[in-house]
Amino acid sequence: ANSFYSKLYASNSSPDKDVDTYLDEIDQNHKKNLSKEKQKSCEGLVTLDECTRALKAMNKNKSPGLDGLTTEFYEAFWFMLGPILVNVFNEGYNNQNLSTSQRQSVISLIHKKDDKGEISNYRPISLTNTDYKILAFVLSNRLQNVIPDIVSSDQTAYIKRGIWAQIL
């Protein structure tokens, strides 16, 4: 399994100098930049309100990470855990380092089709802790608010449909 997935997910990227050269050659007139206000909206400390909205929007009945704490657990005890978790997230922001448990995941192989004895019929998934998922959801929501300002409307793959309906 290690050999198969190491080859499958090996990087075939260009050397850094090639990437830098390519980026330097991009026509400056086609670059899109965020205003200082929009840049600021993507960064900074998270709020209890942002985290609460993220938790409420998360899918239920999903596998937890190493700590075993589910979305349903966080919802049941949010009145106690919410303010503490926001402080943990903001401490991580100030220290520029998430906690160890927020930087770990468990990789599990899930059988997708055909012969269970063939490793290529399995797909790896990463199981991350729910607290990390809450933070990732908050940051994703922040980015969704500025995507129309930096991504052309004809490049909409993996972007929520409602965002383009708002600006078109």
Side-chain angles (χ1 to χ4, degrees), residues 17-120:
K17 68 177 185 139
D18 292 344
V19 173
D20 290 341
T21 301
Y22 172 77
L23 292 175
D24 288 342
E25 292 173 358
I26 293 176
D27 183 358
Q28 295 297 321
N29 295 330
H30 289 93
K31 279 189 173 180
K32 293 185 174 189
N33 294 310
L34 293 177
S35 67
K36 294 288 183 197
E37 181 181 319
K38 293 224 175 176
Q39 287 176 27
K40 191 174 181 180
S41 74
C42 292
E43 298 181 8
L45 302 177
V46 299
T47 66
L48 181 60
D49 183 56
E50 285 179 303
C51 293
T52 301
R53 282 185 276 129
L55 179 62
K56 288 181 180 180
M58 290 173 63
N59 292 328
K60 311 301 183 267
N61 200 27
K62 296 291 182 177
S63 298
L66 279 170
D67 64 10
L69 303 178
T70 62
T71 302
E72 293 83 358
F73 174 85
Y74 277 94
E75 282 185 332
F77 296 101
W78 190 246
F79 67 98
M80 289 187 300
L81 294 176
I84 295 169
L85 191 57
V86 168
N87 286 337
V88 169
F89 290 153
N90 289 332
E91 183 175 330
Y93 176 80
N94 289 329
N95 295 330
Q96 298 182 359
N97 196 19
L98 294 175
S99 70
T100 302
S101 68
Q102 292 166 341
R103 291 182 280 126
Q104 294 177 335
S105 66
V106 175
I107 298 176
S108 182
L109 296 177
I110 305 296
H111 179 255
K112 290 294 184 184
K113 62 179 181 177
D114 302 330
D115 181 9
K116 289 188 175 188
E118 181 61 42
I119 191 68
S120 63

Side-chain angles (χ1 to χ4, degrees), residues 148 152-154 156 161-168:
S152 173
S153 62
D154 61 351
T156 59
R161 292 180 189 193
I163 289 179
W164 296 112
Q166 295 168 13
I167 64 167
L168 295 177

Side-chain angles (χ1 to χ4, degrees), residues 32 143-152 163-164 166-167:
K32 293 185 174 189
L143 289 175
Q144 292 295 329
N145 291 328
V146 300
I147 281 180
D149 296 324
I150 55 176
V151 177
S152 173
I163 289 179
W164 296 112
Q166 295 168 13
I167 64 167

